[in-house]
Amino acid sequence: MQQATVAHDRLPSEARWRGGRRRLGVRGTGVLMVLPVVLLIALFTLYPFGQAVYDSMRLTSPFFPGRFVGLDNFRNVIGSTYFADAVRVTLTFTALAVPVTVLASLLISLLLNERFAGNTALRAAMLLPWALPASITGIVWKWMFLDSWGAINVGLYELGVVDKYIAWLTSPRLAMMAVVVAFMWAQTPLAATLLLIAVQRVPHELYDAASLDGAATTVRFRDITLPAIQPTLVIVTLYQILMAFTTFDITYALTHGGPGTATTMLTYFTWAESFKMLNFGSGAALAILVSLASVLVITVLLRAMPKEALLGEAR
Amino acid sequence: MERQPVRLTRRSFAASGLGAVAAAALPRFGSSAASAQEAVDLNFHIWQYGVETVQDNIKRFHELYPGVKISLSDVPWNSYHEESVNRLRSKTPTDVMYNGGDWLEEFATAGWVVPLEDHFDWVRGYQDKIFPFAWQDMVFQDKVYGLPYYADTITFMYNEQLLKDAGIASPPQTWEEVTEQSLALKAKGMEYPYLYVLAQDLPTVSEAFVSTVFGRGGELIDENDEPLWTDPNSPAAKQFKWFVDARNVDKILTFVSNETDAVGAMSTGQHAFIVLYNYHLAELNDAARSDRAGQFKVALMPGETHECYGFSKFYNLTKMAVDRGPEVVNAAGEFIRYFAGEIDGQYPIAKRWAVENGVGFGVKPLFDDPDVRAAYSKWIDVDKWTEQLSLARAQRHTPWQGIWNELFRLEHVRAVAGETSVEDALQASADNWNELKSQFGG
């Protein structure tokens, strides 16, 4: 009897819920379910971005009262020599670091897809550099590359490969190369793992059939592996472009943006403008420019690519 | 029978209206006073150097003053300026902090730090006991803001053995001689005899540059805060050009991005000359750290006058501490006096830094302390150091100097790297100076 009462009590609410769901529809229910996450993202992403937009149009300094300056901050930072240099350095770094990282990741994923002793241990160990904070990566590589007493110079000298130490960190081009190496070392593990997963999902029968047809290894890679992993490869490449574009910690610890400004990228310049020069308005303007540039680069790349590259040929 | 302490809450203490009177009547938060007080929390903000020693010093302070609890926060030296600005601006609890002459005017103008002498009448009594350059660094608008954590000079160091091996009998007296000797060393196989500590974000660069300008008898700014380096014949412009030419023309100079790397690099024997905070000579001549310990000597700063930059890094009381009430101010005063001042005729903390780390000191009595002299004589020619110390002087400061230093370093690293000319870098530095001066109403 009591159960019946309870069941009876529930009926109206269930009806309301069902009615509500009908009113909301699938779309509305979906919106309702993602709303908490959206609110969280809004709190931690959209609000700071909005604040940055607000700051970027104001003179914001710890020492003076803030005031509206319109687009002056944007005009000032874009017009400065430092900005032009930082853009050039950022693009150069991205152009160098991304292909090298993606290629190394691809080769490693193919290697780890093969059966050999120690493969499992190698896969686990490979993730270690990725687990390290980027600033630690920078410091570790600084000890490797230091001109006077870095491990690489000492090693090369002791082995008789060089007769004098190489100016890794005080020569602009070599310093850029050092940052690329450190970036690659930090980023390759994740990229290689993602690509390895994609490689492992390629049906083995395809390789068997190709082998029966006498296809060489390079042909099998070109005609089977590459098309199959293409969507993952695209995503990994886009991710690496974003990471390269926003690299900060490694240069901060490894080169301090030097020699001169040879490794001063937009993110380092933004940080310096905000937190060293204490010009938060200009720093915010720079941060917005970096964000917009990132979005622009990704959008252009996505639009330029055929759909098959993103979704896979099978679809 | 043990006496029960009478506990006073801060609110009741302040509300009684007797806070200030009681604070004056309780000059020390010693064990007896502490038993009658609720523990006072002090937030102590420092840059990272010898943090373990600082913690141990705090422990010793706690033993003597159990009524005061110190919470320590430390940040890297490279980012101390901006972290402090943001900390003070956002009112992150900070009662006592390290500060330096180059930032004092900025922080005082912003109202973040307060003169010590406005709160403690014993502060002025230290004037005669502190080296003039160190005292000057702590004074702004005729008010003294701190007592020294340490005071030191930025000096010219060289590897005597390497010079001897190259047939060079004595260290250079002028910057032209630095070039000549470097070229001689280079001819004998040393690629970069001069090692420069250079990075756009390192405050050391600005101070070391000033010291080298002082060696030529120069200054960065005049008494009206006008930049002097716009004249190409000024000591500042000449010295700026010397660094650029040493790198790009004579190719005798290379650089590292911080002092730790510099000590490591000098210890390899690949470099003969460097300008550093004087206490780094103790590290260079420490056998536990350097294979070439004992080879490094101090020389008078090259240049016409051989002057060098003498400075003080000091304990500063914040406005936040004052706003918290008299018991906090009083506790902070005791803390600063213990850390920087005289206790029973001794300067225990300053002496410890000097003996254990070779860190310079601002108080004259330590100069004749036998323990200090014995410790110093292990790593420096005390007579030569005394001679250099007598030629040390403070630099002129302005409220915008902390920010300008950041801009100057950027131009300096660009010029040394060959990205811009000496003339353009000096002009850009002057433009930045004038713009900041105008913004700050200077």
Side-chain angles (χ1 to χ4, degrees), chain B residues 101-250:
Chain B
D102 42 357
W103 301 321
L104 172 61
E105 297 199 13
E106 176 184 332
F107 292 4
T109 304
W112 295 329
V113 294
V114 297
L116 267 193
E117 68 172 274
D118 283 359
H119 299 275
F120 310 107
D121 55 8
W122 43 262
V123 173
R124 274 282 169 186
Y126 281 96
Q127 182 165 4
D128 293 338
K129 298 174 182 173
I130 290 175
F131 291 115
F133 66 82
W135 186 261
Q136 188 185 327
D137 234 15
M138 301 185 297
V139 172
F140 174 51
Q141 293 180 341
D142 297 326
K143 295 266 190 182
V144 63
Y145 276 72
L147 285 181
Y149 148 47
Y150 80 100
D152 214 335
T153 49
I154 296 183
T155 49
F156 184 86
M157 301 163 196
Y158 68 102
N159 185 317
E160 186 181 48
Q161 189 61 49
L162 294 178
L163 262 59
K164 271 185 188 169
D165 292 347
I168 300 169
S170 58
Q173 296 294 306
T174 63
W175 286 99
E176 290 69 32
E177 281 186 28
V178 177
T179 305
E180 285 168 21
Q181 293 191 4
S182 295
L183 289 171
L185 287 161
K186 194 175 176 74
K188 289 182 182 292
M190 187 183 293
E191 196 171 11
Y192 296 113
Y194 193 94
L195 185 67
Y196 197 19
V197 180
L198 184 70
Q200 56 178 288
D201 64 346
L202 188 69
T204 308
V205 179
S206 312
E207 297 188 325
F209 178 73
V210 166
S211 201
T212 57
V213 173
F214 280 15
R216 291 179 181 266
E219 263 286 1
L220 287 193
I221 53 173
D222 65 16
E223 57 277 7
N224 298 315
D225 297 339
E226 295 294 334
L228 294 169
W229 63 85
T230 46
D231 175 2
N233 292 316
S234 67
K238 281 182 182 172
Q239 190 56 31
F240 193 98
K241 188 171 186 304
W242 186 90
F243 282 117
V244 175
D245 287 350
R247 174 67 181 170
N248 300 300
V249 178
D250 301 313

Side-chain angles (χ1 to χ4, degrees), chain B residues 249-322:
Chain B
V249 178
D250 301 313
K251 301 189 189 304
I252 54 174
L253 176 150
T254 190
F255 46 87
V256 287
S257 61
N258 60 58
E259 297 93 322
T260 308
D261 292 347
V263 170
M266 290 298 289
S267 301
T268 64
Q270 296 174 59
H271 315 287
F273 306 117
I274 192 166
V275 170
L276 274 179
Y277 294 123
N278 194 59
Y279 65 83
H280 288 300
L281 192 60
E283 295 171 18
L284 287 168
N285 282 326
D286 181 354
R289 296 188 188 193
S290 169
D291 293 339
R292 293 174 183 271
Q295 297 180 5
F296 298 98
K297 308 290 177 190
V298 65
L300 294 181
M301 185 62 72
E304 289 74 15
T305 65
H306 300 303
E307 292 168 299
C308 75
Y309 177 34
F311 62 89
S312 175
K313 305 296 181 191
F314 47 90
Y315 301 98
N316 220 161
L317 180 69
T318 67
K319 177 72 165 45
M320 270 186 271
V322 174

Side-chain angles (χ1 to χ4, degrees), chain A residues 93 96-98 100-101 104 128-145 152 168-169 174-190 240 243-244 247-255 263 265:
Chain A
F93 173 73
L96 290 172
V98 174
V100 171
T101 304
L128 282 177
W130 180 62
L132 282 179
S135 55
I136 302 295
T137 299
I139 290 169
V140 168
W141 280 100
K142 188 167 90 167
W143 288 341
M144 297 289 285
F145 279 117
I152 293 175
W168 298 110
L169 297 182
L174 292 178
M176 173 61 85
M177 194 215 69
V179 179
V180 168
V181 169
F183 176 87
M184 185 182 77
W185 190 77
Q187 291 297 322
T188 297
L190 178 66
Q240 291 305 328
M243 294 306 289
T247 292
F248 171 74
D249 313 44
I250 288 176
T251 45
Y252 180 76
L254 177 58
T255 61
T263 58
M265 292 182 233

Side-chain angles (χ1 to χ4, degrees), chain B residues 323-344:
Chain B
D323 291 343
R324 287 178 62 200
E327 72 273 32
V328 172
V329 173
N330 207 35
E334 290 309 322
F335 177 71
I336 291 172
R337 183 145 72 171
Y338 178 79
F339 266 60
E342 188 178 348
I343 303 290
D344 301 328

